[in-house]
Amino acid sequence: MTTADAAELMPDTPERQRAHQRLLDEIAAEAAATASWTGRQHFSAPVMAALAKVRRDAFVLPAEWPFAYENRPLGIGHGQTISQPYIVALMTDLLDLTVDDRVLEIGTGCGYQAAVLALLAARVYTVEVVPELAAAARLRLAQLGYENVETRAGDGWRGWPEAAPFDAVIVTAAPTEVPAELVKQLKPGGRLVIPIGPRYDTQTLYRCVKRADGTLAMEEKLPVAFVPMIRPN
Ligand code: SAH
């Protein structure tokens, strides 16, 4: 499987639009069904509007178009995946973004989550360890007109010190512990949404808030399954 390099869109047929609407309905239903875990019965109207706006088909290979609006992860090449839309919605909602926020994402992948964030925050900085994925995501996001996203190929364990501090940090690969550098780069009162746990097993999604003393208040939200956050070299 190769990486889709440019933003290619499937025809915008009534069928595509119906599939997209069905997906939004499924996300809303799953939000309600998981509310006892997450504490969120509904995701916010701006989060749902962002998910309605971003065309997920633009972020997957044409071979995956028939499944682009299914509520599950899909392969994007390089052994990596585009996250499940419900998980993208949940993690975005847990960030409690406002339009002035500066957000750091670790694990760009295809750039879908970054596009959703771009509609809700002032500026998005996203780091991807696989250079080919970072390059493809940068090109795709530019072609789609997301001018407030900056993409960098590099190691997410280091964050993005030149652009810090951030109001919110989202990690879309699973480390075994919270990367200290990411906490350092978060503002006091800032939110960190991150899956933590063993490789290739179930992890726990946390919503964390940085206290004034620099420590993290961590709240467990949901069992999840992410690809590992690797430690390059
Ligand atoms: N955010 C994506 C999902 C990405 S899957 C979406 O919108 O669908 C997780 C991504 O994290 C993969 O592309 C993987 O290559 C990347 N990754 C793994 N370890 C990393 C690290 N140390 N630094 C940055 N990215 C990493």
Side-chain angles (χ1 to χ4, degrees):
M1 190 192 278
T2 55
T3 308
D5 285 322
E8 244 191 291
L9 292 166
M10 65 194 279
D12 195 16
T13 58
E15 192 185 359
R16 188 211 71 80
Q17 293 172 14
R18 270 198 302 276
H20 198 159
Q21 184 54 52
R22 205 177 311 124
L23 173 62
L24 298 172
D25 294 344
E26 281 173 26
I27 292 170
E30 198 164 348
T34 52
S36 63
W37 290 88
T38 65
R40 306 224 164 168
Q41 183 76 28
H42 308 281
F43 301 147
S44 79
V47 168
M48 293 307 290
L51 287 157
K53 192 145 182 220
V54 178
R55 291 268 303 259
R56 194 168 182 248
D57 53 288
F59 295 86
V60 302
L61 294 162
E64 302 283 0
W65 281 350
F67 319 110
Y69 292 94
E70 290 188 7
N71 190 19
R72 60 177 172 96
L74 298 170
I76 58 166
H78 299 277
Q80 298 301 337
T81 54
I82 178 171
S83 298
Q84 182 192 356
Y86 157 76
I87 291 290
V88 171
L90 171 64
M91 291 177 81
T92 307
D93 200 74
L94 291 172
L95 289 173
D96 291 318
L97 297 172
T98 63
V99 293
D100 295 328
D101 281 350
R102 296 158 54 77
V103 186
L104 173 65
E105 180 194 27
I106 305 303
T108 315
C110 59
Y112 175 67
Q113 172 78 70
V116 171
L117 297 171
L119 296 176
L120 297 163
R123 202 144 195 94
V124 179
Y125 297 86
T126 181
V127 183
E128 169 57 52
V129 77
V130 178
E132 293 86 353
L133 289 177
R138 179 185 295 118
L139 178 64
R140 184 178 301 121
L141 289 162
Q143 286 180 335
L144 293 169
Y146 294 97
E147 287 172 0
N148 59 337
V149 183
E150 283 190 55
T151 308
R152 167 184 281 189
D155 177 12
W157 287 88
R158 297 167 194 248
W160 193 318
E162 302 85 351
F166 301 99
D167 299 282
V169 177
I170 174 172
V171 182
T172 67
T176 50
E177 65 201 90
V178 178
E181 200 52 43
L182 300 185
V183 180
K184 229 185 260 178
Q185 293 175 23
L186 191 60
K187 286 183 192 171
R191 290 83 62 202
L192 167 65
V193 173
I194 185 170
I196 308 263
R199 292 168 158 249
Y200 304 112
D201 200 348
T202 304
Q203 304 110 21
T204 302
L205 184 68
Y206 288 88
R207 179 182 188 275
C208 317
V209 178
K210 187 172 175 177
R211 300 189 186 97
D213 67 4
T215 61
L216 277 190
M218 294 179 67
E219 223 181 293
E220 275 188 36
K221 290 299 181 186
L222 196 73
V224 288
F226 278 85
V227 298
M229 180 165 164
I230 64 160
R231 287 185 186 270
N233 57 65

